[in-house]
Amino acid sequence: DANIPHQYITRVYARSIEKAHGSKYQGGAHIGTKSDLKFNIRAGLEEHALHFKVGGARDLQPLSRNLPENDFDAVAQKDYDQAYTGAEEQVLRKSRIVVTTCTSAVLHTALNKGGASSRTWRPYTFATVIVDEAAQASEPDVILPAMMAEDRVVVVGDHKQLGPVVAESNLCKAYVNALETPFLERMLKEPERVAANTMFHMQYRMHPSIRSFPSKHFYDSRLQDENLDDQSALLGCIWPKPEEHVVFIDCEHPHCFGVVVEDMRRRSGQTNLMENMTSLKNGGEAELVAEAYSRLLKNRACQPGEIAVI
């Protein structure tokens, strides 16, 4: 939308995603494609992908044809990988904006000057590093990419909302607590350490009656509303008070215990969804949700795709 030429913006995906989308590069680590989740690159974004740009390099075409389809030729693969990493470096040098995840910023060999065989992390550096949704990342996930900045680091997030999720249960409690504490939260406990901080006060999503609760209880009543279309007339089928778009309903139905789920993919061996008594189900509550959903559809206040059940 900004009309920036695609060669100036490069998206670096994990090596496993690159391989799943046709990359023939075999050097370095993290090439495995075993995953229960298939990652789809949205149409229109592929042209920005590093592996897409490199795959079209003219110097790689003859080397690519030399790679056997159903066999492995170590010499041909080495020549191809060497040319591939060189093409990656050329693409990154032409790029003015590089987009990637915190993990790939550290692990992807294209962003490591030491190369695939180096045991020392020597990251590419940038004038500015922006870490978005930083409150949902553990502190190491924020600090390591921040080390790639030459001049400034911009950390964007909201520590009053969802924090990092530490799935491993075989870590000591102190370490888990440290990982679950967002970097932003820890820094803002001592505001003098982050003098150059700001808060966006204007919100564009919620009806003012929805905004009032989080603003009062979490943001010191500092949130403000952009002018929103008033839909109270359309939603009168569910709001007892047309001006209030928040309804708390006590279903007066007891909870039931959830189930234990075995998940051997995690290092802990087992993830217990009943841990800390947080996995509960409530049939009566589900019936009320279904009734509210039905009323919204019956009165044509919403389309099915406009309703989220959380």
Side-chain angles (χ1 to χ4, degrees):
D1 293 342
N3 296 320
I4 301 176
H6 78 277
Q7 67 267 26
Y8 290 155
I9 302 177
T10 299
R11 171 67 161 96
V12 180
Y13 293 93
R15 287 295 191 194
S16 57
I17 295 175
E18 292 179 343
K19 185 174 182 180
H21 285 80
S23 172
K24 297 181 180 180
Y25 178 77
Q26 294 289 337
H30 306 281
I31 298 297
T33 58
K34 291 184 178 180
S35 175
D36 292 334
L37 299 177
K38 183 179 179 180
F39 188 93
N40 294 315
I41 300 176
R42 266 175 46 189
L45 295 181
E46 190 176 45
E47 66 175 6
H48 298 291
L50 176 63
H51 64 273
F52 181 84
K53 295 179 180 181
V54 171
R58 291 183 179 179
D59 295 344
L60 281 179
Q61 302 309 313
L63 295 174
S64 178
R65 289 191 290 268
N66 290 338
L67 295 175
E69 293 186 5
N70 301 317
D71 199 0
F72 180 75
D73 185 328
V75 175
Q77 187 66 57
K78 183 178 180 180
D79 291 342
Y80 179 85
D81 289 349
Q82 186 174 358
Y84 191 96
T85 55
E88 285 184 324
E89 185 174 352
Q90 292 181 21
V91 170
L92 290 174
R93 283 182 175 178
K94 294 178 181 177
S95 303
R96 299 184 181 180
I97 301 174
V98 175
V99 182
T100 190
T101 63
C102 292
T103 300
S104 291
V106 178
L107 297 180
H108 200 291
T109 52
L111 297 173
N112 180 4
K113 294 180 182 178
S117 61
S118 175
R119 296 184 179 181
T120 303
W121 185 51
R122 296 170 51 212
Y124 273 86
T125 56
F126 303 88
T128 301
V129 169
I130 301 175
V131 184
D132 193 18
E133 296 292 357
Q136 295 187 35
S138 67
E139 186 156 338
D141 286 333
V142 175
I143 295 300
L144 288 173
M147 294 173 63
M148 305 172 80
E150 295 179 349
D151 298 330
R152 67 187 67 83
V153 178
V154 180
V155 181
V156 183
D158 186 354
H159 64 287
K160 300 293 182 71
Q161 297 188 31
L162 293 176
V165 176
V166 182
E168 304 300 342
S169 61
N170 59 343
L171 302 175
C172 70
K173 185 176 181 180
Y175 192 55
V176 170
N177 289 340
L179 291 177
E180 289 180 338
T181 302
F183 171 77
L184 274 173
E185 179 179 338
R186 189 174 68 81
M187 295 300 291
L188 290 173
K189 287 179 179 178
E190 303 178 53
E192 65 276 5
R193 298 180 62 179
V194 283
N197 72 86
T198 187
M199 172 182 169
F200 295 144
H201 299 86
M202 192 67 66
Q203 69 89 16
Y204 303 87
R205 299 178 180 178
M206 298 175 282
H207 187 274
S209 62
I210 302 175
R211 180 268 310 148
S212 62
F213 179 84
S215 180
K216 178 180 179 180
H217 292 275
F218 300 107
Y219 300 103
D220 301 321
S221 299
R222 297 167 63 187
L223 295 184
Q224 302 174 23
D225 307 305
E226 176 68 5
N227 293 328
L228 300 173
D229 294 335
D230 187 6
Q231 297 181 343
S232 57
L234 294 175
L235 301 176
C237 59
I238 193 170
W239 311 126
K241 297 180 180 180
E243 71 279 4
E244 294 289 335
H245 288 195
V246 179
V247 178
F248 293 98
I249 302 175
D250 185 357
C251 68
E252 298 182 347
H253 191 280
H255 291 297
C256 299
F257 288 123
V259 296
V260 176
V261 174
E262 299 283 346
D263 189 349
M264 300 309 296
R265 293 171 300 175
R266 300 194 183 279
R267 283 180 288 171
S268 56
Q270 182 189 72
T271 300
N272 187 345
L273 294 184
M274 287 174 54
E275 187 176 0
N276 298 324
M277 304 295 286
T278 57
S279 178
L280 303 172
K281 60 182 180 181
N282 190 313
E285 186 174 318
E287 291 178 3
L288 283 174
V289 171
E291 175 63 22
Y293 182 85
S294 297
R295 289 192 186 188
L296 288 170
L297 295 182
K298 184 178 180 180
N299 290 272
R300 298 182 179 180
C302 297
Q303 297 298 319
E306 298 173 330
I307 302 173
V309 178
I310 303 175

